[in-house]
Amino acid sequence: MNKTDLIDAMAEHAGITKAAAKKALECALIEIEGALQKGNRVSLVGFGSWSVSKRAAREGRNPQTGETIKIKAKNIVKFKAGAD
């Protein structure tokens, strides 16, 4: 299922227009993204939760040359599916 399929399904199940479903989905995604950027955890009971985790700096290798490179530390988003 892609974003368009999800919008179509939301519109059908909720009895709203596709435009309204698209706006609702985009607003939800914007709010989830905003919370994660602030470092907060987002949890939807029965679905799953998103959280931000820090990945430490590390060394890697360029596969073409074999040269050692430094990979910077960064924050990543993790998703854990709910029990249902």
Side-chain angles (χ1 to χ4, degrees), residues 9-84:
M10 287 173 59
E12 184 178 329
H13 290 292
I16 58 177
T17 65
K18 288 182 183 180
K22 180 179 180 181
K23 186 167 186 160
L25 179 60
E26 288 175 352
C27 288
L29 294 175
I30 287 169
E31 291 302 317
I32 291 170
E33 181 181 353
L36 292 171
Q37 285 177 344
K38 292 177 185 174
N40 297 330
R41 180 177 177 200
V42 178
S43 181
L44 299 177
V45 176
F47 181 71
S49 59
W50 292 268
S51 61
V52 178
S53 181
K54 294 186 180 196
R55 182 176 283 173
R58 62 194 193 280
E59 288 188 355
R61 293 205 180 269
N62 181 334
Q64 293 180 341
T65 64
E67 175 186 3
T68 301
I69 58 173
K70 292 188 180 193
I71 301 172
K72 295 180 182 179
K74 64 180 176 178
N75 293 331
I76 58 167
V77 175
K78 289 185 177 181
F79 178 76
K80 182 175 181 183
D84 294 338

